[in-house]
Amino acid sequence: MSTPHPDTYLDAPDTGVAADCAHCDAVCCRLTVVVQPEDRIPGHLLEERDGLTVMARDEEGWCVALDGARMCCSIYEGRPEVCRRFAMDGPYCRAIRTDYTERRARGIELILH
Ligand code: SF4
Ligand code: SF4
């Protein structure tokens, strides 16, 4: 991923509340997701960015594979490996949720890189 290494966020404040996908705006689905050759992702969901094949994002920053009505992955069974490895309530999950919440509260642009 071209996202910062998860260790970058280990010092993020811990709210003490467990992160839960059911109560989240799918924040991780706003990150750059680099697709590997072994991933089998339909071409219309992909784009090239900085020389990498990544999941395309819509104009609001969400991965185009996100089912916005249900806030879940529409290709869950075939999602990229990097998405499979993303740990709910892990340090990176908690950190990006904190960042997202703070940006929203302050009206800062929400695109995550
Ligand atoms: S893994 Fe974390 S950031 Fe992603 S949807 Fe679940 S709670 Fe939200
Ligand atoms: S492929 Fe699915 S899990 Fe991965 S970022 Fe897109 S919507 Fe989220």
Side-chain angles (χ1 to χ4, degrees):
M1 292 175 86
S2 62
T3 49
H5 188 278
D7 288 349
T8 303
Y9 291 109
L10 288 177
D11 291 333
D14 187 343
T15 61
V17 178
D20 173 4
C21 298
H23 301 93
C24 177
D25 287 350
V27 180
C28 55
C29 299
R30 300 174 63 87
L31 297 171
T32 295
V33 173
V34 176
V35 175
Q36 302 300 322
E38 56 271 26
D39 292 323
R40 293 286 177 263
I41 309 299
H44 69 279
L45 300 177
L46 302 174
E47 64 186 23
E48 298 295 318
R49 196 182 313 148
D50 299 328
L52 299 170
T53 301
V54 300
M55 292 300 297
R57 288 190 289 189
D58 65 21
E59 57 191 24
E60 295 182 337
W62 270 280
C63 172
V64 293
L66 182 71
D67 177 342
R70 298 188 300 150
M71 293 305 277
C72 64
C73 180
S74 65
I75 58 166
Y76 188 79
E77 295 301 324
R79 68 196 186 286
E81 181 63 26
V82 70
C83 301
R84 296 172 186 275
R85 292 204 309 264
F86 198 92
M88 182 180 78
D89 202 32
Y92 198 16
C93 163
R94 281 184 270 121
I96 62 170
R97 285 165 50 99
T98 298
D99 181 63
Y100 177 81
T101 301
E102 289 177 356
R103 283 170 184 250
R104 273 191 21 170
R106 291 156 60 193
I108 296 174
E109 189 242 341
L110 285 170
I111 298 284
L112 301 172
H113 298 282

